[in-house]
Amino acid sequence: MKKKYVLIICAILIVSCGKKTTVVNNNEKSSISFVDPFIGTGGHGHTYPGATVPFGMLQVNPVNGVSAWDWCSGYHYSDSVAVGFSHLSLSGTGIGDLADIIFMPVNKEVDLTTNPQSRDSISYKSSYSHQNEKASPGYYQVFLEDHDINVELTTSKRTANHKYTFKKGDKNAVVIDLGFAINWDTPLETSLKVEDEYTVSGTRFSKGWANNQKVFFVAKFSKPIISYKLYADGLLTDRKTAKSTKTSTQLFFETDAKNELQVKVALSSVSIENAKGNLDSSEFNFENVKIAAENSWEKALSSFNVETKTDSLKTIFYTALYHTQLAPVTFSDKNGQFRLENDSIATAENYTAYSTLSLWDTFRAEHPLLTLIAPDKASDIINSMLAYYDTKKILPVWTLYGNETNTMTGYHSIPVIVDAYKKGIRGFDAEKAYEAMKNTMMQDERGLNHYKKYGYIPYNLIDESVTISLEYAFDDWCVAEMAKMLGKEDDYQFFFNRSKAYQHLFDKKSGFMRGKSEDGKSWNEPFDPKHSNHREQTDYTEGNAWQHSWFVPHAVDNLIENHGGNEVFTNRLEQLFTESSEITGDNVSADITGLIGQYAHGNEPSHHIAYMFNHAEQPWRTQFWARHIMDTQYNTTPNGLSGNEDCGQMSAWYVLSSMGLYPMNPASGEYEIGTPIFEKASMNLPNGKTFTIEAENVSDKNIYIQSATFNGKDFNKTAISHQDILKGGTLHFKMGAEPNKQWGLSKNMQK
C-alpha cells in the first residue's frame, strides 16, 4: 500500500513539474474559474473536493471509505474507490469524524445484511477514475464505473442536491447507510422512515471526536419510490420504520426514458421537523441550484481582485481564498435553533450560529482575514462561541457539531474576540465576552491550576508544558487588552503581568524556550531542540523547541532583548530556516511537515515566525523568507498544501502573505508588511472602500521592497493598521532584486 501511495504521489509531482506556466488575460475569466478544489486533497492537506457554499451547513462529498489519517475529510486523491456521498465533511483537519448520512446510487440489488469489516466487503462500493471526475466551487461530478452512473452534486446553504444519471434500461436504486462510519466515528443509534412515496427521513446519533453528535435528516426524491428494503442491524424488516445501532435501506425507482433521479437532502442538529424546515421548497432543478451556488462563490471571491501574468499564481490564490470560506460552517437551522452538547436547544436570535471552530489554527490568520472580508460573520462566530460558553462557563477550544472536543492547547476564542473588538466589530455583547474570557483564564482545567500557581506550567506536571504556557501567556495578554479597552484597569494590570510567563521558560544560553521544573531553576534534561515526541512525554505540541520557541507574538521586542539584542536574535531566527531538517525521536509528530530548515510551514505554530525579522531591524529577511515560503509550500497539484489545511488557516496565510500582509500578532489590530507577489491586488471592503497594493516591477527575482508610498506619501513602516486599511487607498511598493536594508528601519519610520 505504501509503495502504491508513493508511486501515485511521484506521478502527481512529475506531471506538475512538466506543466508549463501559462500566461492569460486574467480579465476574461471569473474568479471561480481559477479555483481547483482538488488542491490539498493529496499529501497531508486533508481537504475535500465536494460541493458546498460559503460557510454552508452541508458539505456534499465523495467518501472513499478508508479509515486513516490522510482520509480525515473522507476523501484522498490517491484513492479510486467510492462508497457513497456524505453530507458533512471536515476541511483539512488532523482528526477524522463526520462523513454522515451516506447516499449511494446503484444499478442493481445489493446485500445490506452483512456488517462490512472493511471497504472491500461493502456491497455497493464502486471504482472511479480522476479522468471522469470534476470539481468546482459549488459543484462535484464523478462517474461510478461499477454502476454506470454519473453522479452530480451541488448545494444551497442548507439543502444538498444530488443528480444521478443511469445507463439506459438499468435499475434505478439508491442505498442510504446510516451505519457506515470512518475514523473516530461510531454510530450509537440510527433510524430510518419511509414517510411517503417521495420522502425518507431519519436520525443518526454517534460518538466520535464529537462525543454527542445528533443528526436528523429528510430526503425528497424526484421520482416515486416503487419498492424498498429496510434493514435494522442487517435484519430485513417489513415495516416503514427501522431503529437500531445501524440502519440502512435500498430504495427502488421507476426506470424511465430520462434515466435521471434527483434528490434533495436537508439536515438539522435539532429534529426531523427542523430538517424539513431547512429543506428548500422549490421544484427539482439541479442546474438552477448549481448556478446559485456558483454565484454565491463568485460573490464571496470578489472580495479580492489580483492581477498577475502568471496564471498558476491566481489558481493558488483563489483556491486559497475558497478554502478560507469553507469553515466555520452554518450550524443553526432556518428557525435559529441548534443543539448544544448537553442536549439543550439554543436559539440564535439575530445571528447565525457556526460550528467547526478549529481555533488553535484559525486564530492566527483565518479569523483576522474574516474581519476584513466578512465582519458580520466574525461577530456571528463570537456569538456562537458565547452560546457554547453558556454550557460550561468556559470558552470553546475546538467546537465540532456543537461539541467541545478540547483538542489542542490554549483558549484561542480569546484572541478572536479581542481582535474583532479592537477592529470595531460590535455585533456581540462585549461585557459578556469579557466575563467569558476572564472566567476561562481563571478556572483550573487544562493546566491552568499549575499556570496560576507557578506563573508557568512545570514540565513534570503536565505534557506539552512549554507550548501551553506560551499560549496561555498570549491569551492573558489578550484578556489584558480587552480589559484596557473596557476601562478595567486592575484586571488589565493583573493579566498583563501574567502575560510575561514566557520569561520563566526562556533559556538565554541555548536561545530556546524549555521545560522548567517546579523549583523554578532546573531545566528538563537531556535537551535536544530537534526532538519530537507526539503528544506525550514532551514539552511541545506537535513540534519541537525550534518551532515553538518563537511564540511570543505579543512581546516580540522584549523577546529580542532577552536574546541579547537584534543581532543575536536575527542570527538565531535565520538559523531556524537554514538548520538541517532532521527531526529526532522515535515518535515524531506527523504534523511536522513543510520543513525549511527547522521551520515547519505544514503546522500552524510556525506561521508567524518569518515576520518577526521586522521587529529586529531586518525586514528584508522577512521579505526573503515570506516569498520563499510562498514559492515552495504551495502549488497547483493535489499535493499543493504542505500540511493540514486546518479549516482555512493554511490558505489564509497565503491569501494575506501574497498581498504582502500578515497578522503576526493576531490580536494587535495590525498587519506586518511582508512581500507582495502580485503586480496589483485590491481588497474590496464591506464598507464600500477599496484597499489596493501595487508592486511595481515585482517578479520571482524582484522580491525586495525598495521604497513605498501610501496614498502618495512616503511609507517607511513595517506594519499597517486595520483602521488604515478600512479607510481605503493605495499602498505602492517599488520592488527590486537586491534588498534595501534601510527600508522599514525604526530610525527611518514616520512617527
Side-chain angles (χ1 to χ4, degrees):
M1 187 64 190
K2 280 188 176 179
K3 287 183 179 178
K4 179 183 176 184
Y5 178 83
V6 170
L7 287 171
I8 291 168
I9 296 303
C10 289
I12 291 168
L13 292 174
I14 289 169
V15 170
S16 68
C17 290
K19 287 182 180 177
K20 293 182 179 179
T21 299
T22 56
V23 178
V24 299
N25 180 350
N26 294 326
N27 294 325
E28 294 179 356
K29 301 178 73 174
S30 65
S31 297
I32 65 169
S33 68
F34 290 100
V35 176
D36 183 356
F38 288 112
I39 292 176
T41 60
H44 301 315
H46 297 183
T47 62
Y48 62 80
T52 189
V53 294
F55 308 104
M57 177 177 275
L58 303 176
Q59 308 83 43
V60 204
N61 190 48
V63 176
N64 296 135
V66 173
S67 292
W69 191 54
D70 280 332
W71 279 258
C72 280
S73 74
Y75 176 98
H76 194 265
Y77 197 79
S78 63
D79 214 325
S80 58
V81 173
V83 301
F85 304 92
S86 68
H87 294 79
L88 297 172
S89 295
L90 288 163
S91 178
T93 66
I95 299 182
D97 204 334
L98 304 185
D100 289 76
I101 318 298
I102 289 282
F103 278 51
M104 184 63 162
V106 294
N107 65 349
K108 60 187 176 184
E109 187 169 335
V110 296
D111 183 6
L112 298 178
T113 63
T114 61
N115 182 21
Q117 299 303 303
S118 70
R119 181 175 72 177
D120 293 341
S121 55
I122 294 176
S123 60
Y124 48 80
K125 70 180 184 299
S126 175
S127 58
Y128 65 90
S129 167
H130 294 307
Q131 292 180 330
N132 292 316
E133 181 186 33
K134 295 178 183 176
S136 57
Y139 176 73
Y140 175 83
Q141 173 272 325
V142 70
F143 182 75
L144 300 176
E145 295 175 350
D146 292 11
H147 304 312
D148 283 326
I149 299 171
N150 190 58
V151 175
E152 296 176 85
L153 307 172
T154 189
T155 183
S156 64
K157 188 174 185 178
R158 291 185 176 89
T159 299
N161 286 252
H162 303 233
K163 179 182 175 183
Y164 310 138
T165 304
F166 296 83
K167 184 180 177 182
K168 185 178 180 180
D170 272 6
K171 189 184 293 290
N172 288 198
V174 175
V175 171
I176 303 174
D177 190 349
L178 302 187
F180 174 82
I182 57 171
N183 290 320
W184 286 258
D185 179 53
T186 302
L188 300 176
E189 179 184 290
T190 69
S191 70
L192 278 166
K193 179 180 181 181
V194 180
E195 294 201 356
D196 57 43
E197 61 180 345
Y198 292 98
T199 311
V200 174
S201 63
T203 61
R204 189 178 190 277
F205 303 165
S206 62
K207 179 182 176 66
W209 193 16
N211 280 327
N212 182 28
Q213 189 190 355
K214 294 185 174 176
V215 183
F216 302 80
F217 84 94
V218 62
K220 275 201 173 294
F221 296 87
S222 61
K223 296 196 296 190
I225 302 166
I226 57 174
S227 65
Y228 61 88
K229 290 188 174 182
L230 192 57
Y231 300 86
D233 291 330
L235 299 176
L236 182 65
T237 176
D238 58 0
R239 300 177 181 177
K240 290 186 176 183
T241 62
K243 185 176 182 180
S244 63
T245 303
K246 297 181 178 182
T247 55
S248 59
T249 187
Q250 184 170 15
L251 310 170
F252 300 91
F253 303 85
E254 286 184 359
T255 300
D256 55 22
K258 199 173 182 183
N259 303 313
E260 180 185 293
L261 176 65
Q262 293 192 44
V263 195
K264 294 193 293 186
V265 183
L267 310 185
S268 167
S269 68
V270 176
S271 66
I272 289 174
E273 284 306 307
N274 275 20
K276 291 177 178 178
N278 289 337
L279 191 73
D280 290 344
S281 59
S282 57
E283 296 298 315
F284 287 94
N285 193 318
F286 184 90
E287 192 61 27
N288 281 357
V289 179
K290 174 177 176 283
I291 291 170
E294 291 171 342
N295 288 340
S296 70
W297 275 115
E298 189 64 32
K299 181 179 179 182
L301 300 181
S302 69
S303 53
F304 287 93
N305 182 45
V306 297
E307 297 180 14
T308 175
K309 297 183 179 69
T310 308
D311 195 26
S312 58
L313 290 181
K314 292 197 79 171
T315 296
I316 295 170
F317 178 86
Y318 280 111
T319 303
L321 187 58
Y322 166 81
H323 280 144
T324 66
Q325 297 176 80
L326 296 182
V329 300
T330 297
F331 191 51
S332 53
D333 296 330
K334 278 185 180 179
N335 65 5
Q337 292 183 328
F338 60 102
R339 183 179 297 272
L340 299 175
E341 64 182 344
N342 62 3
D343 277 329
S344 64
I345 305 302
T347 301
E349 297 181 2
N350 301 316
Y351 73 94
T352 298
Y354 290 92
S355 194
T356 308
L357 301 175
S358 181
L359 292 162
W360 188 76
D361 310 293
T362 56
F363 84 95
R364 304 169 196 267
E366 163 77 3
H367 287 283
L369 175 64
L370 294 183
T371 65
L372 285 165
I373 66 174
D376 57 328
K377 292 191 171 52
S379 59
D380 282 2
I381 290 165
I382 293 170
N383 282 314
S384 306
M385 296 191 299
L386 295 178
Y388 301 136
Y389 165 78
D390 286 336
T391 61
K392 291 182 178 178
K393 298 304 177 185
I394 299 174
L395 280 166
V397 177
W398 210 126
T399 304
L400 175 65
Y401 215 79
N403 285 238
E404 178 54 75
T405 68
N406 271 315
T407 301
M408 307 313 293
T409 48
Y411 284 100
H412 300 315
S413 303
I414 292 172
V416 172
I417 296 169
V418 175
D419 183 50
Y421 194 77
K422 190 173 283 188
K423 291 173 177 175
I425 294 171
R426 295 290 184 268
F428 59 95
D429 185 336
E431 288 292 341
K432 180 179 180 179
Y434 179 74
E435 170 202 303
M437 293 159 60
K438 181 178 178 179
N439 288 348
T440 297
M441 292 307 294
M442 292 304 293
Q443 47 92 19
D444 291 332
E445 292 186 13
R446 291 163 46 88
L448 270 168
N449 54 334
H450 305 309
Y451 179 80
K452 290 190 295 184
K453 180 178 179 180
Y454 297 98
Y456 63 97
I457 299 175
Y459 74 85
N460 55 307
L461 299 182
I462 191 170
D463 283 340
E464 304 178 342
S465 62
V466 172
T467 298
I468 296 171
S469 296
L470 295 176
E471 294 188 9
Y472 283 162
F474 177 63
D475 291 339
D476 272 343
W477 180 85
C478 292
V479 179
E481 287 291 289
M482 192 72 170
K484 182 168 62 175
M485 289 186 287
L486 295 177
K488 303 178 189 294
E489 182 61 27
D490 290 345
D491 281 1
Y492 167 73
Q493 292 296 337
F494 175 82
F495 286 104
F496 180 75
N497 288 333
R498 262 193 8 180
S499 74
K500 299 174 184 177
Y502 65 91
Q503 295 178 350
H504 292 288
L505 302 180
F506 181 70
D507 174 19
K508 187 171 182 177
K509 182 178 179 181
S510 68
F512 293 103
M513 298 288 179
R514 296 181 56 185
K516 183 174 279 187
S517 69
E518 291 170 90
D519 64 18
K521 298 177 183 178
S522 51
W523 302 108
N524 191 0
E525 300 285 1
F527 176 65
D528 174 4
K530 295 183 179 180
H531 186 267
S532 165
N533 201 44
H534 185 64
R535 305 311 303 265
E536 58 183 14
Q537 297 179 339
T538 179
D539 294 336
Y540 311 96
T541 302
E542 296 181 354
N544 60 24
W546 269 114
Q547 291 136 23
H548 283 266
S549 292
W550 311 96
F551 190 74
V552 191
H554 58 292
V556 178
D557 295 343
N558 185 251
L559 181 64
I560 293 169
E561 288 178 21
N562 290 346
H563 274 269
N566 288 341
E567 185 176 356
V568 175
F569 179 81
T570 53
N571 286 342
R572 286 174 176 165
L573 197 53
E574 183 77 6
Q575 188 181 353
L576 168 73
F577 292 95
T578 58
E579 183 72 18
S580 79
S581 294
E582 177 193 17
I583 306 294
T584 61
D586 298 325
N587 184 32
V588 172
S589 176
D591 298 275
I592 304 177
T593 58
L595 284 166
I596 302 171
Q598 286 289 312
Y599 173 90
H601 193 70
N603 209 16
E604 280 69 22
S606 288
H607 280 191
H608 69 291
I609 299 176
Y611 292 88
M612 298 177 84
F613 287 108
N614 278 357
H615 283 251
E617 305 285 24
Q618 292 198 11
W620 62 274
R621 288 189 185 273
T622 283
Q623 295 156 35
F624 176 85
W625 288 115
R627 180 61 188 250
H628 185 74
I629 295 165
M630 283 185 268
D631 287 346
T632 61
Q633 303 299 304
Y634 299 84
N635 63 58
T636 59
T637 73
N639 256 22
L641 297 171
S642 60
N644 297 170
E645 165 63 16
D646 283 319
C647 297
Q649 171 57 28
M650 192 69 66
S651 290
W653 187 96
Y654 188 90
V655 169
L656 289 168
S657 292
S658 65
M659 296 278 292
L661 308 171
Y662 192 76
M664 183 199 68
N665 176 347
S668 66
E670 290 194 332
Y671 304 86
E672 297 290 325
I673 303 295
T675 181
I677 204 169
F678 301 110
E679 287 94 337
K680 184 177 181 180
S682 297
M683 195 183 305
N684 302 309
L685 301 165
N687 63 7
K689 302 286 182 68
T690 300
F691 176 73
T692 300
I693 294 177
E694 297 174 342
E696 184 180 340
N697 299 323
V698 71
S699 68
D700 57 351
K701 301 287 192 299
N702 296 339
I703 65 173
Y704 295 107
I705 296 170
Q706 306 298 300
S707 63
T709 59
F710 184 40
N711 292 334
K713 297 180 180 179
D714 285 344
F715 184 86
N716 201 36
K717 299 186 291 186
T718 58
I720 187 169
S721 73
H722 184 85
Q723 297 307 322
D724 279 344
I725 290 175
L726 289 187
K727 294 173 186 174
T730 300
L731 182 57
H732 182 93
F733 295 106
K734 288 186 178 179
M735 309 298 291
E738 298 296 327
N740 175 1
K741 296 183 180 181
Q742 295 303 306
W743 184 86
L745 301 193
S746 58
K747 64 182 180 181
N748 300 326
M749 290 183 185
Q750 305 99 322
K751 299 296 183 183

